[in-house]
Amino acid sequence: GRKGGHKGRARQYTSPEEIDAQLQAEKQKAREEEEQEEGGEGATGDPKKEKKSLDSDESEEDDEDYQQKRKGVEGLIDIENPNRVIQTTKKVTQLDLDGPKELSRREREEIEKQKAKERYMKMHLAGKTEQAKADLARLAIIRKQREEAARKKEEERKAKDEAAMAGKRLQSLSLNK
């Protein structure tokens, strides 16, 4: 089997039922002490009514004890932390699904970024941005260079054609002789 813990014994865990039983016993002792301090006022009344009132008090005390149990010196010093956010649960009827949803900072920034990019692209296509103006000026220069190059090519081709025609004329003249 498995060896025990480092202190020589196997660990023993208390079940939730045992813990509840211990708490009930402590509450019962505290209630009995309170009754004895009151001086027996409850003894003159009807025992059945007394039992019912004790049962109803028990459920209220359970809730109070649960809320009042605090760790460390928290029970001794009452301090309210203004930074502590108490989470409240909302009922389904309180949820507002149709209302505007608040976006996080990242989501807002992402949407603004997309809108700015779309605005810039519209202005760029319209030729209103500095970059678009520079691009259009560059394109105009390139068009002029290409037109000049095309014109030079055309002139060279015509010159070659004329030279070829002149050469053919000379041949035809020389053949006619």
Side-chain angles (χ1 to χ4, degrees):
R2 194 168 167 187
K3 293 185 180 180
H6 69 283
K7 294 191 177 182
R9 288 190 189 168
R11 292 184 180 164
Q12 295 179 348
Y13 298 102
T14 310
S15 67
E17 294 83 18
E18 290 176 12
I19 294 173
D20 290 339
Q22 289 173 355
L23 289 174
Q24 293 294 333
E26 289 175 7
K27 289 177 186 175
Q28 186 67 26
K29 284 182 184 178
R31 203 175 301 123
E32 289 173 1
E33 289 175 3
E34 286 177 13
E35 288 176 7
Q36 288 177 359
E37 289 175 5
E38 290 176 5
E41 290 177 12
T44 58
D46 190 17
K48 291 182 182 177
K49 290 181 183 176
E50 187 177 316
K51 181 68 176 172
K52 287 182 184 176
S53 66
L54 288 178
D55 288 342
S56 63
D57 289 343
E58 185 177 318
S59 63
E60 291 173 8
E61 285 180 13
D62 287 343
D63 295 340
E64 291 172 7
D65 288 343
Y66 181 73
Q67 291 173 354
Q68 289 179 354
K69 284 189 181 178
R70 296 180 180 174
K71 296 179 182 175
V73 294
E74 195 175 341
L76 301 174
I77 303 169
D78 191 27
I79 298 174
E80 187 173 324
N81 185 355
N83 296 328
R84 184 171 178 238
V85 178
I86 299 171
Q87 293 181 348
T88 57
T89 56
K90 290 185 177 181
K91 295 181 181 177
V92 177
T93 56
Q94 292 176 340
L95 291 177
D96 188 19
L97 298 175
D98 298 332
K101 180 186 169 193
E102 290 187 26
L103 300 174
S104 68
R105 179 184 56 86
R106 286 185 181 170
E107 291 172 335
R108 254 185 284 123
E109 287 176 356
E110 187 67 28
I111 291 171
E112 289 172 7
K113 198 180 200 182
Q114 287 176 353
K115 286 182 180 178
K117 193 173 184 180
E118 289 174 10
R119 245 184 283 121
Y120 179 80
M121 289 305 293
K122 283 182 182 179
M123 290 182 69
H124 187 75
L125 291 174
K128 294 181 180 178
T129 62
E130 291 180 22
Q131 187 178 2
K133 290 175 184 175
D135 289 346
L136 291 173
R138 206 177 309 118
L139 284 172
I141 293 170
I142 292 171
R143 281 186 191 139
K144 286 180 185 177
Q145 289 174 349
R146 286 182 181 170
E147 287 174 7
E148 289 174 11
R151 196 170 4 98
K152 284 182 183 178
K153 260 188 178 178
E154 187 67 26
E155 289 174 4
E156 288 176 5
R157 191 176 52 82
K158 285 182 182 178
K160 282 183 183 179
D161 287 346
E162 287 178 12
M165 290 298 271
K168 286 184 182 179
R169 283 187 206 150
L170 286 174
Q171 270 186 348
S172 63
L173 288 174
S174 60
L175 292 175
N176 287 339
K177 286 184 183 180

